[in-house]
PDB file of all heavy atoms in Angstrom:
ATOM      1  N   GLU A  77      21.012  -4.091  15.841  1.00  0.00           N
ATOM      2  CA  GLU A  77      20.025  -4.002  16.921  1.00  0.00           C
ATOM      3  C   GLU A  77      19.900  -2.583  17.524  1.00  0.00           C
ATOM      4  O   GLU A  77      18.833  -2.166  17.949  1.00  0.00           O
ATOM      5  CB  GLU A  77      20.376  -4.952  18.068  1.00  0.00           C
ATOM      6  CG  GLU A  77      20.331  -6.452  17.683  1.00  0.00           C
ATOM      7  CD  GLU A  77      21.643  -6.999  17.127  1.00  0.00           C
ATOM      8  OE1 GLU A  77      22.563  -6.189  16.871  1.00  0.00           O
ATOM      9  OE2 GLU A  77      21.831  -8.204  16.959  1.00  0.00           O
ATOM     10  N   ALA A  78      21.013  -1.817  17.464  1.00  0.00           N
ATOM     11  CA  ALA A  78      20.960  -0.512  18.082  1.00  0.00           C
ATOM     12  C   ALA A  78      20.054   0.433  17.283  1.00  0.00           C
ATOM     13  O   ALA A  78      19.465   1.340  17.856  1.00  0.00           O
ATOM     14  CB  ALA A  78      22.363   0.095  18.193  1.00  0.00           C
ATOM     15  N   VAL A  79      20.020   0.258  15.972  1.00  0.00           N
ATOM     16  CA  VAL A  79      19.193   1.138  15.182  1.00  0.00           C
ATOM     17  C   VAL A  79      17.730   0.895  15.509  1.00  0.00           C
ATOM     18  O   VAL A  79      16.971   1.828  15.835  1.00  0.00           O
ATOM     19  CB  VAL A  79      19.447   0.898  13.646  1.00  0.00           C
ATOM     20  CG1 VAL A  79      18.565   1.828  12.812  1.00  0.00           C
ATOM     21  CG2 VAL A  79      20.914   1.092  13.282  1.00  0.00           C
ATOM     22  N   ALA A  80      17.356  -0.368  15.398  1.00  0.00           N
ATOM     23  CA  ALA A  80      15.934  -0.685  15.619  1.00  0.00           C
ATOM     24  C   ALA A  80      15.474  -0.385  17.008  1.00  0.00           C
ATOM     25  O   ALA A  80      14.446   0.292  17.197  1.00  0.00           O
ATOM     26  CB  ALA A  80      15.729  -2.215  15.293  1.00  0.00           C
ATOM     27  N   VAL A  81      16.210  -0.881  17.977  1.00  0.00           N
ATOM     28  CA  VAL A  81      15.838  -0.693  19.358  1.00  0.00           C
ATOM     29  C   VAL A  81      15.938   0.798  19.796  1.00  0.00           C
ATOM     30  O   VAL A  81      15.038   1.342  20.422  1.00  0.00           O
ATOM     31  CB  VAL A  81      16.667  -1.611  20.309  1.00  0.00           C
ATOM     32  CG1 VAL A  81      16.395  -1.222  21.777  1.00  0.00           C
ATOM     33  CG2 VAL A  81      16.329  -3.072  20.078  1.00  0.00           C
ATOM     34  N   GLY A  82      17.071   1.425  19.397  1.00  0.00           N
ATOM     35  CA  GLY A  82      17.274   2.818  19.763  1.00  0.00           C
ATOM     36  C   GLY A  82      16.155   3.710  19.227  1.00  0.00           C
ATOM     37  O   GLY A  82      15.656   4.573  19.902  1.00  0.00           O
ATOM     38  N   ALA A  83      15.787   3.428  17.945  1.00  0.00           N
ATOM     39  CA  ALA A  83      14.765   4.285  17.328  1.00  0.00           C
ATOM     40  C   ALA A  83      13.399   4.071  18.011  1.00  0.00           C
ATOM     41  O   ALA A  83      12.706   5.000  18.379  1.00  0.00           O
ATOM     42  CB  ALA A  83      14.638   3.998  15.848  1.00  0.00           C
ATOM     43  N   ALA A  84      13.032   2.778  18.201  1.00  0.00           N
ATOM     44  CA  ALA A  84      11.725   2.547  18.791  1.00  0.00           C
ATOM     45  C   ALA A  84      11.659   2.967  20.252  1.00  0.00           C
ATOM     46  O   ALA A  84      10.590   3.398  20.737  1.00  0.00           O
ATOM     47  CB  ALA A  84      11.406   1.030  18.674  1.00  0.00           C
ATOM     48  N   ALA A  85      12.821   2.917  20.923  1.00  0.00           N
ATOM     49  CA  ALA A  85      12.808   3.323  22.350  1.00  0.00           C
ATOM     50  C   ALA A  85      12.523   4.843  22.497  1.00  0.00           C
ATOM     51  O   ALA A  85      12.079   5.274  23.509  1.00  0.00           O
ATOM     52  CB  ALA A  85      14.151   2.983  23.014  1.00  0.00           C
ATOM     53  N   ALA A  86      12.779   5.558  21.406  1.00  0.00           N
ATOM     54  CA  ALA A  86      12.543   7.016  21.481  1.00  0.00           C
ATOM     55  C   ALA A  86      11.079   7.362  21.163  1.00  0.00           C
ATOM     56  O   ALA A  86      10.658   8.491  21.323  1.00  0.00           O
ATOM     57  CB  ALA A  86      13.402   7.693  20.438  1.00  0.00           C
ATOM     58  N   MET A  87      10.328   6.350  20.765  1.00  0.00           N
ATOM     59  CA  MET A  87       8.920   6.607  20.409  1.00  0.00           C
ATOM     60  C   MET A  87       7.993   6.614  21.637  1.00  0.00           C
ATOM     61  O   MET A  87       8.270   6.053  22.649  1.00  0.00           O
ATOM     62  CB  MET A  87       8.424   5.508  19.415  1.00  0.00           C
ATOM     63  CG  MET A  87       9.162   5.528  18.101  1.00  0.00           C
ATOM     64  SD  MET A  87       8.660   4.112  17.070  1.00  0.00           S
ATOM     65  CE  MET A  87       7.013   4.591  16.584  1.00  0.00           C
ATOM     66  N   ARG A  88       6.857   7.301  21.471  1.00  0.00           N
ATOM     67  CA  ARG A  88       5.796   7.228  22.451  1.00  0.00           C
ATOM     68  C   ARG A  88       4.881   6.155  22.008  1.00  0.00           C
ATOM     69  O   ARG A  88       4.754   5.830  20.829  1.00  0.00           O
ATOM     70  CB  ARG A  88       5.042   8.548  22.502  1.00  0.00           C
ATOM     71  CG  ARG A  88       5.861   9.718  22.957  1.00  0.00           C
ATOM     72  CD  ARG A  88       5.084  10.557  23.944  1.00  0.00           C
ATOM     73  NE  ARG A  88       5.807  11.774  24.241  1.00  0.00           N
ATOM     74  CZ  ARG A  88       5.473  12.968  23.806  1.00  0.00           C
ATOM     75  NH1 ARG A  88       4.360  13.152  23.084  1.00  0.00           N
ATOM     76  NH2 ARG A  88       6.202  14.023  24.120  1.00  0.00           N
ATOM     77  N   PRO A  89       4.096   5.555  22.962  1.00  0.00           N
ATOM     78  CA  PRO A  89       3.201   4.471  22.576  1.00  0.00           C
ATOM     79  C   PRO A  89       2.232   4.843  21.447  1.00  0.00           C
ATOM     80  O   PRO A  89       1.953   4.024  20.587  1.00  0.00           O
ATOM     81  CB  PRO A  89       2.439   4.203  23.871  1.00  0.00           C
ATOM     82  CG  PRO A  89       3.357   4.631  24.962  1.00  0.00           C
ATOM     83  CD  PRO A  89       4.141   5.780  24.414  1.00  0.00           C
ATOM     84  N   ASP A  90       1.771   6.102  21.431  1.00  0.00           N
ATOM     85  CA  ASP A  90       0.818   6.444  20.371  1.00  0.00           C
ATOM     86  C   ASP A  90       1.441   6.970  19.069  1.00  0.00           C
ATOM     87  O   ASP A  90       0.676   7.328  18.166  1.00  0.00           O
ATOM     88  CB  ASP A  90      -0.307   7.375  20.902  1.00  0.00           C
ATOM     89  CG  ASP A  90       0.235   8.753  21.237  1.00  0.00           C
ATOM     90  OD1 ASP A  90       1.480   8.873  21.315  1.00  0.00           O
ATOM     91  OD2 ASP A  90      -0.570   9.697  21.353  1.00  0.00           O
ATOM     92  N   ASP A  91       2.760   7.012  19.005  1.00  0.00           N
ATOM     93  CA  ASP A  91       3.362   7.195  17.689  1.00  0.00           C
ATOM     94  C   ASP A  91       3.144   5.914  16.924  1.00  0.00           C
ATOM     95  O   ASP A  91       2.741   4.872  17.531  1.00  0.00           O
ATOM     96  CB  ASP A  91       4.906   7.428  17.823  1.00  0.00           C
ATOM     97  CG  ASP A  91       5.195   8.788  18.531  1.00  0.00           C
ATOM     98  OD1 ASP A  91       4.372   9.714  18.381  1.00  0.00           O
ATOM     99  OD2 ASP A  91       6.247   8.854  19.193  1.00  0.00           O
TER     100      ASP A  91
END
Side-chain angles (χ1 to χ4, degrees):
Chain A
E77 296 89 350
V79 179
V81 170
M87 296 174 72
R88 295 223 187 110
D90 68 345
D91 293 331

